[in-house]
Amino acid sequence: MHADGPGWIFEMGEGVIRAMRHVHMSPTDVDFYGVKAGDAMKLKIGGPCGITLDRMLVRVDKSFKLEVHIDTDEGNACNLQPETPCELMK
């Protein structure tokens, strides 16, 4: 695998990269939830297969809208659907 980015190159002969679960927040969102960049939050996912995911890394940027990023396997494990109720917690 070969990835180019601004000022860097990453080459990996074999293996897998898995993004850490995280939440994108604007400065307004950070104020609302009482957190800061680098903090960890929990995501409570409801429904018949409900779970709570710990250690949701908070990422902050003025261009971000509130958005949670989890792994596909995590979403599938709890049968996450567009209408599934979710709650971010400190």
Side-chain angles (χ1 to χ4, degrees):
M1 179 167 112
H2 182 95
D4 290 315
W8 61 272
I9 295 175
F10 174 76
E11 293 187 42
M12 188 167 84
E14 60 180 72
V16 175
I17 296 176
R18 180 187 177 277
M20 181 178 204
R21 65 177 75 116
H22 61 279
V23 56
H24 287 179
M25 293 186 159
S26 70
T28 303
D29 297 322
V30 167
D31 289 343
F32 177 82
Y33 285 97
V35 295
K36 64 184 182 309
D39 281 355
M41 297 186 75
K42 294 180 182 188
L43 178 66
K44 183 178 179 181
I45 301 173
C49 300
I51 60 172
T52 299
L53 298 173
D54 294 334
R55 294 183 292 280
M56 300 284 303
L57 176 66
V58 174
R59 294 183 177 166
V60 181
D61 191 273
K62 64 183 179 183
S63 68
F64 288 166
K65 63 179 182 176
L66 185 59
E67 193 170 71
V68 170
H69 294 242
I70 64 172
D71 186 85
T72 301
D73 290 335
E74 292 166 333
N76 288 341
C78 64
N79 193 31
L80 185 62
Q81 302 296 313
E83 66 278 0
T84 303
C86 297
E87 179 183 3
L88 274 171
M89 302 177 297
K90 231 174 140 176

